[in-house]
Amino acid sequence: MDSETVANGAITKPKDSPVVPGEFTFTVSKTDGRARTGEIRMPRGVIRTPAFMPVGTAATVKAMYPEQVKALGADVVLGNTYHLMLRPGAERVARLGGLHAFMNWPYPILTDSGGFQVMSLAGLRKIDETGVRFQSHIDGSRHVLTPERSIEIQGLLGSDIQMQLDECVKLPAEERVVEKAMYLSLRWAERCRVAFGEQPGKAMFGIVQGGTVDRLRIESARELVGLSLKGYAIGGLAVGEPQSDMLRTLDTVGPYLPTEKPRYLMGVGTPDDIVQSVRRGVDMFDCVMPTRAGRHGLAYTRFGRVNLRNARHAEALEPLDPQSSCVASSTYSRAYLHHLVRANEILGMMLLTWNNLAYYQELMAGLRKAISDGRLDDHIAEVKDCWARGEAQLAKNQSAS
RNA sequence: GCAGCUGUAGCUCAUUUGGUUAGAGCGUCGGAUUGUGGCUCCGAAGGUCAGUGGUUCGAGUCCACUCAGCUGUA
C-alpha cells in the first residue's frame, strides 16, 4: 500500500499536481499481438494504458477518498454529464472552479456525454435529430440535451477527455433500430466535433455504434475516423449480448481504427471481459462493476469473485488476499466484511470498493507489464488459472461445511 | 380472583358469510448486476394456523376447555 494513503491512519493531502501545458498525445511503447501498452499524455497527467478508469459519476468514486483512488494507481476517473447537469448543475461546478477542484481530483477526468444515462436512467425520453428530451430521474424536471449542449457542459466541468453525445441501444434490438441510432450518433459526432473545436491539451472522442452487426460497425468506424478525432470509443457493447458477440465485434472494428489513437471500450467490464479486450487492442476501460459490486457485498480478487453476503464467510478469519498490498484486502477478515455487508454498514462498502478497485488496478498493471515483456498470452493463462483455482477452493469449502 | 381482547412462517400481518395445495412484506439461503440510484431484479427454503376435544360432507374460520400474552378491575 502506498504509505501516502494510510500514514497515521489519515488521508493525507496529495502533492500538488501542477498542470503542464502541452498537447494531448498517445504513444504506444510496446505491442504484443494486437495488444499494446503506452501512455496518453495531457496537461493534467499521464494515463498508462491499458487503463481502467474508476467511475465517479456524481463527482465521487462512491465510497472512496480521491486520494485513495490515486494511490491505487488510477490515472483518470470518469465523471458524468447527465448526473452533474442535474445536480449540482454544470454552471455551478464551473463557478466553483471546475470539476477537478470541486472533487479534489487534479488528475485527468473523462466525462461521459449523457447519452447512455438517458437510455438507462431517465424517464420519459424522446430522441430526435436535435437531441434528447428527458425527465430527470431525481425530480422529474424536463431537460434537453443536444450534442452542442453536451459538449458545452463537459467544457464547463473542465473535462480533459470529452465524449460525443450518442444514442446507445440496448441489445437485443432490431437491426433497423440499431442502424438508425448508429447514423444519428454519426451526425451527432460531427456536431460535437464542431462544438468542441480546437482545445489544446484536451480531446474529444467519437463513439463507434452499430450493435453486433458487422456491416454497421464497419460503416460507423470508417465515418468516424474520417472526422480525425483524438480517440475512438466503442460503445453499445456489454448491453445484453453474450461475451462472444462483444469480442467478435471488437475483432471486426479493430482493423478500421487507426493504431496511433487510443481505443476505449465503454462500460466494460468484468475482469475477463477486460483481459479478452486488451488482447484485442483496447486501451481504455471504465465500468461500475468494481464499485457497485463492492457496495453490494461482492469482492473481486486474484482468486475470482467472493460473495461476502454468503453465510459461509460468517466465521472465516482469513482475509480476501493475504498477499495483497491493499490494506482492505489483506487485513480485514472475511467474517468482519461479512458482518459489515449484512449490517449494511458504510465501512463494508468502503472496504470492498477499495479491495475491488485495488484488484482492478493490479490487473491492469499486470497486463501492461506482460505486454511490455511480450508474454501477454502466458500471463492471461496464469491469471485465469488463479481465478479458476480460487473458485474451485471456494466450492470445496462450501461442500465441506 | 373476575371480565374483555389477542394467539397464523424467524418478525409484522393477511386469509370475503366454514369450501381446491393458508398468502404478503421484511428477514433467512442462493443468484443477477458491465458509458452507477447505496436503486433494482430473479429463484429457493421456511407453517401440526398456541394445544386438546367437539360440531360439520368439509374448520385457520364455529363451540368448549387448557395454556400464553396484553388491558381493565377488586
Side-chain angles (χ1 to χ4, degrees), chain A residues 149-164:
Chain A
R149 177 60 180 159
S150 177
I151 294 297
E152 182 184 17
I153 290 171
Q154 295 181 68
L156 286 164
L157 297 174
S159 168
D160 303 283
I161 303 179
Q162 307 180 18
M163 301 304 299
Q164 72 152 101

Side-chain angles (χ1 to χ4, degrees), chain A residues 300-304 321-324 359 362 383 386-388:
Chain A
Y300 282 91
T301 75
R302 283 193 296 142
F303 312 108
D321 182 354
Q323 310 300 324
S324 173
Y359 175 66
E362 184 190 315
V383 165
C386 202
W387 294 340

Side-chain angles (χ1 to χ4, degrees), chain A residues 278-299:
Chain A
V278 163
R279 283 187 72 227
R280 290 165 169 80
V282 175
D283 306 301
M284 303 163 69
F285 300 88
D286 80 279
C287 190
V288 303
M289 197 75 81
T291 40
R292 179 188 284 161
R295 294 196 303 282
H296 292 184
L298 188 64

Side-chain angles (χ1 to χ4, degrees), chain A residues 53 136 153 165 179 267 270 280 295 375 380:
Chain A
M53 308 184 280
S136 160
I153 290 171
L165 187 67
E179 177 163 16
T270 63
R280 290 165 169 80
R295 294 196 303 282
R375 56 181 302 273
I380 289 174

Side-chain angles (χ1 to χ4, degrees), chain A residues 81-92:
Chain A
T81 297
Y82 173 87
H83 294 266
L84 296 171
M85 75 184 277
L86 297 178
R87 184 173 57 193
E91 277 74 10
R92 174 168 291 166

Side-chain angles (χ1 to χ4, degrees), chain A residues 5 14 17 20 26 40 45 84 87-88 96-97 139 155 173 208 210 226 237 247-248 261 266 356 359:
Chain A
T5 306
S17 167
V20 183
F26 176 52
I40 301 171
L84 296 171
R87 184 173 57 193
L96 294 170
D139 61 5
V208 176
L237 288 177
L247 297 180
R248 198 200 71 232
K261 301 283 178 70
M266 305 186 76
N356 288 353
Y359 175 66

Side-chain angles (χ1 to χ4, degrees), chain A residues 66-67 129 179 198 243:
Chain A
E67 294 85 350
E129 193 63 35
E179 177 163 16
E198 290 299 323
Q243 191 201 42

